[in-house]
Amino acid sequence: MYSPGNDGPITQPLKPRGKAQLDTSGSVPGVSRNLAAIWARVRRLATDPVVLSSLTIVLTLITTSLLGFIFWTVSSHVWEASALGSANALLSLGGAASLLASQGLVPTLLQQIPSSRREEIPALFWLSIGLALIFSVVTSMIFVVCVIHVSDAFSNLGSPFVLLAFLGFASSQSCGMIVDACAIGLGQRNVMMARNAIQSSAKLAVIILLAVADVQTNATYAILGATSVSGFSSIGVAAWMLSIGKPGRLDLEHVRGIIRSIGGAFGWNHVAGVAAAAPQYLLAIVITIRSGPAMSAYFSIAWLVGSLAFMLSPAIAQAVLAEGFRERDAVAKRLRLATRLSFAAIPLPVLVLVIGGGQILHWFGPDYAGHARLCLAVLALCALPDTLANVLVSALRLYGLLPQAALVNVLILALSVILGWFLAPSLGIGAVAAGWGSAQLIGAICGGCLLVLGRQVSAGRHRRNSYMKGYGPLPAGVNSKRYSGSSR
């Protein structure tokens, strides 16, 4: 306190003791600022292209899965498990053929379309559709010749009607993937959602009509036919919605230029894409051969229900690929956002499937709940290593490490099939699911190592090139290989 005659510094008056006095003058504004910052961040996320694309793909997959869930529920009450297993084995075979035909084109289109002029899109689109048709028919016929001599479970492919329906299914799946990739690349995400909803609704309507009319027909004819017709119908509607138009007059040089633009990244993208999506189909085929069609049906239903958990990270990975190629300067930012989104979306569906998966399987019948409950729980838990592997493979692709991305996916596929082949007869479909999860974990570890190594090598080469560009040759006695960060 200041007092007369005291020339010392003036101090603040002491606060009286007793009741505590809290300074709340800034608390309300502080809370308001925090809420405003959170709201601004939410608004930024809501308009982020990666979030919008991921949300659209996830909603598409959820819609397709729900309609597929109803489709297989109705089918399981119309036909026996063995009949459904035979039909599902053909669907898996056709799905694998369509993957081989289109998965190289899909990521390549996601890379090419954002950087193409609008007048170039029709030619790129229709050429990709034509290539997908040719590849799917050729691949399907190769598969048919191979599997007929491997197992009697595919003997119905000897029927011309079944073979025609099988080729139609594989072709429609391949072309549908091309249309979806073009929709994402053009930013018209609603078209992809509409196409998949139309396809799933149309095939469900056919099966419901057959069930209501009590038409006695073969499960293979009905399911393959309904899927083929609905697939091509949805492709026609989607092409109209995209307003692609006719490709115009193409000269040979123009076609060669388009093929060169596609072929630059086609090979490794093809290997990586096929290997990533093939386990779903090849494991069902392995189980059909090793354990019979009924067990294949149980596994496929478990995979269908379990896709609620592990369909999220591939959707986010596909979205970040499209946006990463569109904005090359923001690749690291996009990858960080995709990683956070992927792991934030996983826990809830995993928990739901582990706790309530048995009740969901009861809707298909008591046999499915008895045989597939453990498999479903294991598949749900395997969504965690699957998410990690998907994020790392997307990072490898965006940083231009396509051979490494293909290597990781091929490793996961090979381990999954090998483990499934040996585990299915003795330990059942739950062990096959565990083998797939183990393969994902091993692949994620390898992918992380390859990403770190590849980035170090690329950074070393960039530093060496920058040095030589700015200062000329390296000083005497400096090892260029060591400087570049590569021992090769």
Side-chain angles (χ1 to χ4, degrees):
M1 300 269 314
Y2 176 80
S3 60
N6 184 6
D7 294 329
I10 300 178
T11 60
Q12 295 294 328
L14 296 175
K15 295 181 180 179
R17 295 181 180 180
K19 296 181 179 180
Q21 295 184 356
L22 299 176
D23 184 11
T24 59
S25 58
S27 61
V28 174
V31 172
S32 300
R33 284 194 298 271
N34 290 337
L35 291 176
I38 293 173
W39 177 245
R41 184 174 180 82
V42 170
R43 292 183 63 182
R44 285 197 303 271
L45 284 176
T47 57
D48 190 277
V50 174
V51 176
L52 291 176
S53 296
S54 302
L55 183 61
T56 304
I57 296 172
V58 168
L59 289 176
T60 301
L61 292 173
I62 290 175
T63 303
T64 305
S65 297
L66 288 176
L67 292 173
F69 183 85
I70 301 172
F71 175 85
W72 286 107
T73 302
V74 174
S75 300
S76 65
H77 288 84
V78 176
W79 295 287
E80 296 180 353
S82 58
L84 283 183
S86 298
N88 182 72
L90 291 182
L91 290 178
S92 299
L93 190 67
S98 66
L99 287 175
L100 284 173
S102 63
Q103 277 302 300
L105 292 170
V106 167
T108 306
L109 287 174
L110 291 176
Q111 181 177 349
Q112 292 293 327
I113 287 180
S115 60
S116 299
R117 297 190 302 271
R118 181 65 192 184
E119 59 270 18
E120 297 175 344
I121 299 299
L124 188 61
F125 175 82
W126 291 112
L127 182 60
S128 300
I129 290 288
L131 290 174
L133 282 172
I134 295 172
F135 291 163
S136 61
V137 171
V138 172
T139 307
S140 299
M141 291 305 300
I142 294 174
F143 275 27
V144 168
V145 173
C146 292
V147 299
I148 286 180
H149 294 88
V150 171
S151 174
D152 293 336
F154 300 98
S155 59
N156 50 4
L157 283 171
S159 169
F161 296 103
V162 174
L163 180 60
L164 182 62
F166 173 77
L167 293 176
F169 166 72
S171 301
S172 66
Q173 291 294 104
S174 298
C175 296
M177 294 178 191
I178 299 300
V179 173
D180 290 346
C182 289
I184 296 174
L186 292 171
Q188 301 184 37
R189 309 174 188 92
N190 59 317
V191 175
M192 180 187 65
M193 183 181 295
R195 190 198 75 80
N196 284 272
I198 291 171
Q199 179 179 1
S200 300
S201 302
K203 71 177 184 180
L204 175 60
V206 172
I207 296 300
I208 291 177
L209 287 175
L210 292 176
V212 171
D214 196 20
V215 177
Q216 300 297 323
T217 184
N218 185 278
T220 302
Y221 292 157
I223 293 175
L224 282 178
T227 308
S228 302
V229 173
S230 62
F232 281 116
S233 301
S234 67
I235 290 169
V237 173
W240 173 75
M241 293 177 67
L242 287 173
S243 301
I244 293 294
K246 297 180 180 180
R249 187 173 181 178
L250 295 176
D251 55 15
L252 185 59
E253 189 60 32
H254 190 193
V255 173
R256 287 176 179 173
I258 295 174
I259 293 177
R260 280 196 299 268
S261 67
I262 293 176
F266 176 81
W268 291 118
N269 275 328
H270 187 78
V271 175
V274 169
Q280 174 184 359
Y281 305 101
L282 293 186
L283 288 177
I285 296 172
V286 166
I287 294 172
T288 301
I289 296 172
R290 300 286 283 170
S291 302
M295 297 306 295
S296 176
Y298 299 141
F299 177 81
S300 297
I301 293 299
W303 191 285
L304 172 66
V305 179
S307 63
L308 176 65
F310 49 80
M311 71 180 178
L312 300 175
S313 62
I316 297 173
Q318 190 174 17
V320 79
L321 275 179
E323 298 303 328
F325 286 129
R326 184 178 284 110
E327 301 179 32
R328 300 297 300 178
D329 296 334
V331 169
K333 177 182 176 182
R334 297 301 186 200
L335 283 172
R336 287 194 297 269
L337 177 59
T339 303
R340 291 195 295 267
L341 288 175
S342 298
F343 282 99
I346 287 297
L348 181 59
V350 169
L351 188 63
V352 169
L353 292 177
V354 170
I355 295 176
Q359 298 299 321
I360 298 174
L361 291 173
H362 264 293
W363 294 350
F364 296 91
D367 290 341
Y368 290 91
H371 289 88
R373 179 179 302 182
L374 176 61
C375 179
L376 176 58
V378 174
L379 286 174
L381 294 174
C382 291
L384 298 173
D386 177 57
T387 298
L388 181 59
N390 285 327
V391 169
L392 290 171
V393 169
S394 296
L396 289 170
R397 281 178 159 179
L398 285 173
Y399 284 119
L401 303 172
L402 288 179
Q404 290 88 332
L407 176 62
V408 171
N409 284 341
V410 169
L411 175 64
I412 294 173
L413 173 62
L415 288 175
S416 300
V417 172
I418 293 172
L419 291 174
W421 183 270
F422 289 104
L423 294 175
S426 57
L427 298 178
I429 57 177
V432 175
W436 175 71
S438 301
Q440 292 285 352
L441 181 60
I442 295 172
I445 295 172
C446 293
C449 296
L450 290 173
L451 178 61
V452 172
L453 180 61
R455 293 284 290 159
Q456 288 178 347
V457 171
S458 298
R461 288 174 179 170
H462 178 73
R463 289 195 302 269
R464 179 174 179 271
N465 292 336
S466 299
Y467 186 94
M468 296 184 69
K469 182 178 180 180
Y471 301 99
L474 291 173
V478 176
N479 189 328
S480 62
K481 292 184 178 180
R482 182 178 179 184
Y483 192 87
S484 67
S486 173
S487 59
R488 297 165 58 185

